[in-house]
Amino acid sequence: MLKVYAVENLRSGLVVGRDIMDEKGNVLISTGTALTKEMIYGLLDRPIFSVYIEEKEPAAEVPGQDHLLDDEYLDCYQDAYTKLAKMFQELAERGQFDAADLQALMDEKNFTVLSDGAKAVSQIHNMEHQEPYLVHHCLHVGILAGLMAKWLGLSMLDQYNLVIAGLFLDIGKLRIPAEVLDKQGSLTESEFDMVKKHAQFSHDMISMTTLNANQDIMRGVLQHHERCDGSGYPNHLTAENISSFGKILAILDMYDAMASDRIFAKRRSPFDVFATLYDDILDGKLDTEYGVLFIKHLCHSLNGNWVGLSNGEKARIVYLDESRVRSLPVVQTLSGEFIDLGKNRDIKVECILTANEVKA
């Protein structure tokens, strides 16, 4: 039986089910070859996102939590969270943060680990967070920004700046009363007007720091709720006046906000989020180039993730048609049954499961 593996999830000893080809059509690794670490490292350096692996056992077994959550990743994430939370507190209390803390947070090793392809998407979905949502959301957007920057082939300096903009884009929400931010149910018009001020607040807060000298970061933070058709805020800019960072962060912010658990809203299936993002692309709200690239690359990264289905079952994503933006996955249930959710519309993915939910 053939199974699709994201390259980041390969391990030594797996047997290649179909020839792995390079971008020119040359065979890199032949069918039937048992993978070694050296082969896997070589694939990670190429624009190859998934490979077919020959599996003998058809039944899907629930892995232990140790197979879902990577200790190195968790340690790195928690360290980054602690540093970012400290900077948020310092900015809120005295209008400054220690530049050394930002440098430590942006250490190359940290974001090499945190923005590591499919692992990053899997890990931020699999973790359960007890601390307040705001810092986690900003850290997620920073991680997604690191991924997006690599997918776009940005320079190292632009990668660095885009990540920083993602980390601070919502810090202005610290100036919004908690009873408004965490309100369950619809906001009043005045409450929504208050929430919409957070982009300007974020810009104003970081303008008091050394980040003020970097206009890419400043514009990205201020413009992450602007929309290409002029329907966004705070300044109702249209596409030609929105920076590339603003357009990119708008997509990343929307994705994580809808895909994560919040006090006032349950997380949604990534495929429902993709549909919403694509509708906004077609409606001219989100940038087409950035939006389609993000959806296609993130689909690569969802292979192998465990999901909760609308019929109450747990299943693993084993295949996604990467040629279609609106494609739905083939999943394998615990009993070994394969379900093509593109054909069986009675069953939907409700959410990506955390490690604890898979074990339950």
Side-chain angles (χ1 to χ4, degrees):
M1 180 191 76
L2 292 180
K3 179 177 174 183
V4 177
Y5 272 65
V7 171
E8 290 85 351
N9 293 334
L10 294 173
R11 60 184 185 273
S12 299
L14 291 176
V15 176
V16 175
R18 288 186 188 173
D19 288 349
I20 301 173
M21 320 280 276
D22 66 13
E23 54 271 28
K24 295 181 180 179
N26 300 312
V27 176
L28 294 174
I29 304 176
S30 301
T31 301
T33 302
L35 292 173
T36 64
K37 284 185 178 180
E38 291 72 23
M39 292 176 182
I40 295 169
Y41 291 147
L43 294 175
L44 287 168
D45 289 333
R46 293 177 173 271
I48 297 171
F49 302 100
S50 59
V51 301
Y52 284 92
I53 295 297
E54 184 65 43
E55 296 253 326
K56 295 182 180 179
E57 296 294 332
E61 297 180 1
V62 179
Q65 182 168 334
D66 55 325
H67 294 113
L68 287 160
L69 293 174
D70 179 274
D71 287 341
E72 181 187 14
Y73 195 95
L74 284 174
D75 290 344
C76 191
Y77 182 96
Q78 191 56 50
D79 180 62
Y81 176 91
T82 301
K83 288 184 172 66
L84 187 60
K86 178 174 179 282
M87 284 189 285
F88 272 36
Q89 183 178 359
E90 290 174 344
L91 274 168
E93 292 177 352
R94 58 185 183 88
Q96 289 288 335
F97 61 76
D98 188 340
D101 286 339
L102 179 60
Q103 188 61 47
L105 175 59
M106 292 302 299
D107 176 84
E108 183 179 354
K109 178 181 180 296
N110 281 346
F111 269 86
T112 297
V113 172
L114 291 176
S115 295
D116 180 13
K119 181 187 287 187
V121 177
S122 172
Q123 295 298 301
I124 63 177
H125 278 300
N126 283 337
M127 282 186 274
E128 289 187 337
H129 305 310
Q130 304 302 320
E131 303 92 343
Y133 164 78
L134 176 60
V135 181
H136 285 295
H137 171 60
C138 290
L139 183 51
H140 288 182
V141 175
I143 291 168
L144 293 172
L147 287 170
M148 189 71 170
K150 291 177 182 176
W151 296 336
L152 287 167
L154 300 185
S155 69
M156 286 304 299
L157 179 59
D158 285 341
Q159 288 185 38
Y160 183 93
N161 290 335
L162 184 60
V163 169
I164 291 175
L167 292 173
F168 289 100
L169 85 174
D170 270 357
I171 191 172
K173 287 184 176 178
L174 293 175
R175 293 186 177 178
I176 309 295
E179 60 268 22
V180 174
L181 277 182
D182 299 337
K183 181 179 178 180
Q184 298 192 23
S186 300
L187 297 175
T188 65
E189 184 176 349
S190 62
E191 288 170 337
F192 187 47
D193 285 341
M194 187 183 302
V195 171
K196 288 195 292 186
K197 293 178 180 179
H198 80 270
Q200 185 69 57
F201 289 162
S202 296
H203 176 274
D204 293 348
M205 289 175 74
I206 64 172
S207 71
M208 304 299 291
T209 74
T210 55
L211 297 179
N212 186 48
N214 190 304
Q215 290 307 299
D216 286 335
I217 294 174
M218 298 303 294
R219 282 193 291 263
V221 169
L222 181 61
Q223 296 172 356
H224 75 278
H225 277 287
E226 299 288 358
R227 295 296 180 259
C228 295
D229 64 351
S231 64
Y233 60 84
N235 296 313
H236 307 290
L237 302 178
T238 50
E240 64 274 14
N241 295 313
I242 304 173
S243 67
S244 58
F245 277 24
K247 292 173 182 177
I248 293 168
L249 293 173
I251 296 162
L252 309 185
D253 179 61
M254 278 186 67
Y255 173 79
D256 188 68
M258 289 188 283
S260 299
D261 263 333
R262 293 167 286 168
I263 290 175
F264 54 86
K266 294 294 290 180
R267 67 191 187 274
R268 294 168 55 185
S269 157
F271 304 101
D272 288 342
V273 178
F274 293 157
T276 299
L277 293 176
Y278 196 56
D279 285 343
D280 278 0
I281 291 169
L282 295 179
D283 289 341
K285 296 179 183 297
L286 297 176
D287 183 86
T288 301
E289 178 186 357
Y290 295 139
V292 171
L293 182 142
F294 175 75
I295 293 171
K296 285 189 172 182
H297 279 273
L298 206 73
C299 277
H300 288 303
S301 303
L302 290 172
N303 269 313
N305 273 272
W306 284 84
V307 295
L309 302 179
S310 57
N311 63 359
E313 290 194 80
K314 299 172 184 177
R316 189 196 291 267
I317 296 173
V318 294
Y319 176 72
L320 269 168
D321 181 356
E322 297 158 1
S323 67
R324 295 186 297 119
V325 172
R326 289 185 179 271
S327 67
L328 294 173
V330 176
V331 300
Q332 185 183 15
T333 67
L334 294 176
S335 64
E337 178 187 6
F338 290 90
I339 305 173
D340 185 340
L341 300 181
K343 296 178 179 178
N344 188 341
R345 295 295 180 129
D346 293 332
I347 302 174
K348 292 180 60 180
V349 171
E350 291 199 328
C351 61
I352 300 290
L353 296 178
T354 66
N356 287 336
E357 288 170 332
V358 174
K359 287 186 68 180

